[in-house]
C-alpha cells in the first residue's frame, strides 16, 4: 500500500469513527431526561431504545479498535482522545451550569453541537500538538483504570467523594506522565485499557448490568447509582481480560513492524 493510499484509508477510518461517535452522542442526548435537582441528565435504562443501540454499537466499534489496534493507528487514537476529552468536558460543564429541562430539546441539541465543535477543535489540536494528544491518550487510560479499580465495590471502592475525585485525578496525571515519558509501552497499555472500558460500556448498553454507570456515579453525577452484582463483576473481569489481550496483541503487532519509529506510526 502506497503512502497516499495509507493516508486516505486513515482519513476515511477517522471520519467514519467520528461520525459514528457523534451520532451516538446525538441519539443519546435526545433520549435524556433531567434530574429533579437540575444535575446532569441521565438516559433511562428501562429497555433497548434506538439511542442505546446506536451508542452501544459506536462504543463497541471505537473500543475494539483502540483496544487492539490503538498504537498501530496512533494518529486516529490521538485525534479521538482529543475529541473525547474536550467534547466530554464541555458537555459535562454545560449540563452542570444549566441542565436543560425534558421539554428543552433545542437546548440539548445546542449543547451537543457546541461540544462536538469543541471536540473537533480538541482533536485537531491534539494532532497538531502531538505530544499533547499523547498525554490525553494516557489521561484516558488513567481515567479508565481508576474507574475499573473503583468499580470493585458498590458506590465505589473509595466512599469519600473527595477521596474518589483525588484518586481519579491522580490516576489521570500518572497516565499522562507515563504516556509522555515512556511513550510506546504507556500508549499501548493506555489505549488497551481505555478501549476495553469503552468496549464493555458499549456491550452493557445491550446487557444492561449497570457497569455503564461507573464513571457517572464516581464523578458524583446526580441520579447516577452504581451497584455491584455477579453480572457486573463478570463485566469487570471480562474488561480486564480484554485489556490484557489487547496489550499482548498490540505489542505483537509492534514487533512485526520493527524499525518503525514511534512518531511515524499511523
Amino acid at each position: 500500500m502506497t503512502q497516499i493510499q495509507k493516508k486516505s484509508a486513515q482519513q476515511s477510518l477517522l471520519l467514519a469513527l467520528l461520525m459514528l461517535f457523534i451520532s451516538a452522542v446525538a441519539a443519546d442526548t435526545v433520549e435524556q431526561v433531567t434530574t429533579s435537582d437540575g444535575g446532569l441528565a441521565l438516559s433511562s435504562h428501562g429497555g433497548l431504545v434506538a439511542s442505546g443501540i446506536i451508542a452501544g454499537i459506536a462504543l463497541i466499534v471505537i473500543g475494539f479498535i483502540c483496544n487492539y489496534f490503538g498504537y498501530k493507528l496512533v494518529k486516529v487514537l490521538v485525534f479521538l482522545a482529543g475529541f473525547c476529552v474536550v467534547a466530554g468536558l464541555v458537555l459535562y460543564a454545560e449540563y452542570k451550569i444549566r441542565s436543560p429541562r425534558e421539554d428543552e430539546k433545542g437546548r440539548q441539541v445546542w449543547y451537543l453541537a457546541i461540544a462536538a465543535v469543541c471536540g473537533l477543535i480538541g482533536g485537531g489540536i491534539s494532532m497538531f500538538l502531538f505530544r499533547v494528544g499523547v498525554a490525553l491518550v494516557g489521561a484516558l487510560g488513567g481515567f479508565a483504570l481508576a474507574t475499573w479499580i473503583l468499580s470493585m465495590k458498590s458506590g465505589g471502592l473509595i466512599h469519600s467523594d473527595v477521596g474518589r475525585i483525588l484518586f481519579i485525578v491522580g490516576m489521570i496525571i500518572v497516565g499522562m506522565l507515563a504516556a509522555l515519558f515512556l511513550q510506546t509501552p504507556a500508549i499501548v497499555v493506555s489505549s488497551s485499557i481505555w478501549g476495553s472500558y469503552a468496549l464493555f460500556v458499549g456491550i452493557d448498553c445491550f446487557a444492561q448490568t449497570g457497569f455503564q454507570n461507573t464513571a457517572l456515579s464516581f464523578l458524583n453525577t446526580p441520579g447516577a447509582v452504581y451497584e455491584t452484582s455477579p453480572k457486573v463483576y463478570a463485566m469487570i473481569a471480562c474488561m480486564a481480560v480484554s485489556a490484557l489481550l489487547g496489550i499482548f496483541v498490540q505489542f505483537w503487532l509492534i514487533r512485526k513492524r520493527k524499525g518503525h519509529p514511534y512518531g511515524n506510526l499511523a
Side-chain angles (χ1 to χ4, degrees), residues 110-145:
W110 272 110
Y111 278 6
L112 174 66
I114 292 170
V117 170
C118 291
L120 288 171
I121 295 171
I125 291 174
S126 295
M127 293 190 72
F128 182 71
L129 302 175
F130 200 73
R131 288 182 66 81
V132 173
V134 168
L136 292 180
V137 172
L140 286 174
F143 175 79
L145 181 58

Side-chain angles (χ1 to χ4, degrees), residues 86-262:
V86 175
L89 287 175
V90 170
L91 195 61
Y92 186 82
E94 288 171 335
Y95 273 82
K96 277 292 186 182
I97 293 169
R98 164 69 162 81
S99 181
R101 296 188 300 272
E102 189 174 358
D103 59 341
E104 292 183 316
K105 301 299 181 184
R107 183 180 291 271
Q108 291 179 8
V109 173
W110 272 110
Y111 278 6
L112 174 66
I114 292 170
V117 170
C118 291
L120 288 171
I121 295 171
I125 291 174
S126 295
M127 293 190 72
F128 182 71
L129 302 175
F130 200 73
R131 288 182 66 81
V132 173
V134 168
L136 292 180
V137 172
L140 286 174
F143 175 79
L145 181 58
T147 303
W148 181 81
I149 293 172
L150 290 172
S151 67
M152 298 294 176
K153 191 173 182 181
S154 295
L157 199 60
I158 301 173
H159 287 292
S160 166
D161 291 343
V162 175
R164 205 159 50 226
I165 296 297
L166 288 176
F167 176 70
I168 292 173
V169 171
M171 292 294 288
I172 289 173
I173 293 173
V174 169
M176 292 176 72
L177 293 175
L180 286 172
F181 292 102
L182 300 179
Q183 295 189 348
T184 300
I187 290 171
V188 168
V189 173
S190 292
S191 62
S192 291
I193 294 173
W194 167 36
S196 182
Y197 179 71
L199 173 63
F200 281 91
V201 169
I203 291 173
D204 201 47
C205 288
F206 299 94
Q208 298 185 11
T209 65
F211 179 72
Q212 60 183 300
N213 294 333
T214 49
L216 289 175
S217 176
F218 300 153
L219 290 174
N220 300 325
T221 302
V225 178
Y226 173 68
E227 294 289 341
T228 56
S229 68
K231 290 181 179 179
V232 169
Y233 281 126
M235 296 288 282
I236 292 171
C238 288
M239 176 190 157
V241 171
S242 180
L244 291 173
L245 184 59
I247 291 170
F248 172 80
V249 169
Q250 290 201 60
F251 276 121
W252 178 74
L253 290 173
I254 289 172
R255 287 188 63 186
K256 286 184 64 178
R257 291 171 60 106
K258 206 180 284 186
H260 286 256
Y262 154 75

Side-chain angles (χ1 to χ4, degrees), residues 6-58:
K6 189 181 289 185
K7 189 174 181 180
S8 176
Q10 217 174 66
Q11 290 172 341
S12 298
L13 176 60
L14 194 59
L15 180 61
L17 288 174
L18 181 60
M19 293 306 294
L20 189 59
F21 183 84
I22 291 175
S23 65
V25 178
D28 203 43
T29 302
V30 171
E31 292 293 329
Q32 288 177 328
V33 295
T34 307
T35 55
S36 58
D37 57 1
L40 179 63
L42 300 173
S43 301
S44 57
H45 301 290
L48 280 177
V49 294
S51 64
I53 293 172
I54 295 173
I57 292 173

